[in-house]
Amino acid sequence: MDTKDWQAIIFDFDGVIVESGDIKTQAFAELYRSYGEHIVAEVVRYHRQNGGMSRYQKFRYFQQHLLSKPPLTIAEEHMLDQRFSELVIEAVIASQAVAGAEMLLQKAAARIPLFVASGTPENELRTIVKRRGLSPYFTEVRGSPLSKQTLIADILASYALIPERVLMIGDAMADYHGATLNRTAFLGRVRPGDENPFPEHVKIVPDLCSLTT
């Protein structure tokens, strides 16, 4: 798969550019540890099954369906968001890059516009991207609270991109659905040893090394 085939590439961030999936999983577990191991196990299961979903949607789901509590207030949601950020931001900044990711960014950014569309809150995401020294490679970095489908649609419209000539690289079904609904091409990244969440017809790679040749 040659980057010259594409008009632009849209990347998810966690699990595609950086190996930060486990960091987020551990953070969700820590946030809900006081509710007991059963709740923690359900939180982790839901998080893993819904990669790419914003943390805010997960907080609301846990509150209603696992804890059977009244809906979160704005203040409560903000507190959870702040605690989550404190648990993850430095670890994500320091995390290992997905093999081939940095070389791909260097190579592709010289030819085509690159974007990030992530479930991470946008301000936090931009801080992480900047502190990792990756900002120069991206035309735009976008994150939640907008959905993956909306983020991709906004990028396509804002830059007059032809959907069929845009590649989305993601590691979760939210990425795949966002790409499919916007009619872009899609490539799945599945970390070695992890279960493949994608339909059989979806092309997958263990890392991004094959895109750098």
Side-chain angles (χ1 to χ4, degrees):
M1 185 175 287
D2 197 315
T3 58
K4 291 193 291 290
D5 296 335
W6 307 107
Q7 187 182 25
I9 301 176
I10 304 173
F11 296 83
D12 179 39
F13 193 76
D14 295 300
V16 172
I17 293 175
V18 296
E19 297 284 18
S20 50
D22 290 342
I23 294 169
K24 300 294 181 75
T25 302
Q26 292 163 8
F28 274 113
E30 187 61 31
L31 273 186
Y32 291 90
R33 195 166 303 285
S34 63
Y35 294 100
E37 290 306 310
H38 172 70
I39 294 296
V40 168
E42 288 301 305
V43 164
V44 168
R45 182 189 63 80
Y46 186 83
H47 165 64
R48 287 177 171 162
Q49 289 180 347
N50 293 276
M53 179 188 290
S54 83
R55 70 183 63 160
Y56 308 113
Q57 290 176 274
K58 293 175 183 177
F59 292 153
R60 294 163 195 158
Y61 176 88
F62 300 150
Q63 184 80 357
Q64 178 180 352
H65 297 282
L66 296 185
L67 304 182
S68 300
K69 290 187 173 185
L72 290 166
T73 65
I74 293 174
E76 288 171 335
E77 189 169 295
H78 180 70
M79 183 184 70
L80 284 171
D81 183 39
Q82 288 296 107
R83 288 178 60 200
F84 193 92
S85 291
E86 290 167 4
L87 289 169
V88 304
I89 190 165
E90 293 300 329
V92 173
I93 290 166
S95 64
Q96 182 179 359
V98 171
E102 292 180 354
M103 186 180 296
L104 173 59
L105 295 179
Q106 293 169 12
K107 176 183 175 182
R111 292 202 296 263
I112 57 175
L114 307 179
F115 302 89
V116 174
S118 170
T120 298
E122 195 162 286
N123 288 340
E124 180 180 312
L125 178 66
R126 288 177 174 172
T127 296
I128 292 168
V129 169
K130 181 178 180 179
R131 287 185 55 189
R132 287 188 68 103
L134 301 177
S135 297
Y137 299 123
F138 295 111
T139 298
E140 193 169 359
V141 173
R142 301 293 308 276
S144 64
L146 296 179
S147 70
K148 195 71 57 111
Q149 178 186 351
T150 302
L151 293 175
I152 296 170
D154 285 354
I155 290 168
L156 295 175
S158 296
Y159 296 90
L161 299 170
I162 301 168
E164 293 80 4
R165 294 192 58 208
V166 174
L167 175 65
M168 170 74 193
I169 305 177
D171 69 335
M173 284 301 291
D175 303 316
Y176 171 71
H177 288 313
T180 301
L181 290 168
N182 282 290
R183 297 182 292 109
T184 73
F186 181 78
L187 177 67
R189 190 268 166 144
V190 180
R191 186 173 61 171
D194 286 359
E195 184 178 350
N196 179 7
F198 302 114
E200 287 186 7
H201 70 274
V202 173
K203 180 177 174 57
I204 62 171
V205 291
D207 52 47
L208 301 188
C209 292
S210 62
L211 279 73
T212 64
T213 56

